Amino acid sequence: MSPAEALGFLRGPTTKDFLMHYIVSIASRTVGPGQFYIVDVPRAQADLHEAFRITEVHAQHGSPPGAHPFPALSVPMRNKDTLVAGIDGLQLPNAGADIMVTGMLTSCAFMYSTNKQAMHCAHIEPTRAPQPPNTNRGLGLAVNLTANQPPFTNDAGGVRYFTRADYEGTHHANLVGVRRGDGWSLYVQGITPNPPSIVFSKQLV
């Protein structure tokens, strides 16, 4: 499958099924809209799934051969220690880029509003403050968010949280958003390593 075809399946109504069979890893440091590309990842003999990578188009280096460029909106990772005044979400637009990306979740949580037409999102990294060495910071963040249920400071609507507790037993989770006629939908896949395997694929909203 070509990268362009993979992006088409990712955009289409087949997103959840696509993410159950193809790994889509995402790396991004962009905040907000940017130019990205999707490229296939060389497959090792032991790999169970074909894989694709999404990342920014670098101004100096462009994109690698065979990559397919496209516009996307990136939700950056922010540390919980910097959010003492509250969590403000990045609003996903209803025009322009129809793909939302964010970096892989290893211990992080993803917070999102329930209004698909005016969705706000935040990628939250656990606190970096000293803790006992056996403390699972990702699960600590999960407990904190689900117990306190903080709202967005810039959106009064309902919110949900996808946390380490939801992808416990995996190495990490890949999360992507797709905008269609009814607004934004979020999809996530859980991944285990050695060889990389897809544990689950689900639609969050």
Side-chain angles (χ1 to χ4, degrees), residues 35-56:
Q35 193 69 9
F36 288 75
Y37 66 81
I38 181 170
V39 66
D40 60 323
V41 178
R43 190 170 183 175
Q45 187 173 2
D47 288 350
L48 303 177
H49 307 281
E50 189 173 351
F52 295 88
R53 184 178 76 253
I54 293 176
T55 191
E56 295 105 335

Side-chain angles (χ1 to χ4, degrees), residues 7 10-11 15-16 18-19 24 26 54 70 72-73 92 98-103 105 110 119 121 173-180 184-189 201-205:
L7 183 63
L10 201 59
R11 279 187 167 128
T15 310
K16 180 183 173 184
F18 179 80
L19 292 175
V24 179
I26 302 169
I54 293 176
F70 66 98
L73 188 81
L92 307 187
D98 61 354
I99 297 288
M100 182 279 292
V101 297
T102 194
L105 283 69
F110 196 85
M119 185 174 287
C121 297
N174 299 319
L175 191 150
V176 64
V178 182
R179 178 172 53 81
R180 305 190 185 96
W184 286 91
S185 295
L186 301 180
Y187 300 86
V188 63
Q189 63 178 185
S201 168
K202 64 176 67 176
Q203 181 174 353
L204 299 181
V205 63

